[in-house]
Amino acid sequence: MLLSGRGSNLQALIAARDRGELAIDLVLAGGDRPAAAGFEHARATGIPVYASDARNFVDRAAFESDLFAQIEESAADLLVLAGYMRILTAATVESWRGRLINIHPSLLPKYPGLHTHARALAAGDVEHGASVHYVTPVLDGGPVLMQTRIPVLAGDSPEALAARLLPQEHRLLVASVALIAAGRAQLQGDTILVDGSAIASPLSLPLPTG
Ligand code: GRF
């Protein structure tokens, strides 16, 4: 997993793994900000961390090839981006096509990019949500595997909306990684196959009952 911030999505994967919900090994936590709080979650459970200050590299490509050398070394089968704040080069994205996913806090294709909660509120949307998609060179533009939806409530601030969405993002990421780890979901060209059949629209993760 690559992260740049607090790492609550990494924390969610670790917790799901430890509950026995996810049969995965977490082999590396990487990023561009060595001081990112998220790496504490990795260190606490013995997941190797590799993060370099991107400013120490001559350019984006040099930083990326250094980081991805470690990722290749880790023999990871799947790379998860969660709040990773650097754009990957098209070459790297292509070489990881089908093995690279991102969680984005909007109902893609709505609101690619930043400030998604504020944009949903400004648009007067009655619902908001998060998407797990395969990464392609188009920012937040790849095929969407699964989404979860929450209502927008009267008086919601961007912060309140983000806070209500975050736990659902965690459920969404765990469910998406579980599908992929079980070999039930894969990317074929620009189409996602689930249990061998192309999905015409993203899978929908229902909100928890009760
Ligand atoms: C999440 O809201 C994710 O959707 C967005 O960045 C945030 C990452 O949060 N891309 P965390 O670092 O996993 O807590």
Side-chain angles (χ1 to χ4, degrees), residues 5-9 82-83 103-105 166 169:
R6 85 206 130 181
S8 72
N9 279 282
I103 183 160
H104 180 76
L166 194 59
E169 290 187 47

Side-chain angles (χ1 to χ4, degrees), residues 97-115:
R97 189 180 184 92
R99 304 182 291 154
L100 178 59
I101 61 173
N102 178 49
I103 183 160
H104 180 76
S106 82
L107 292 172
L108 292 171
K110 293 172 86 168
Y111 318 127
L114 300 174
H115 312 302

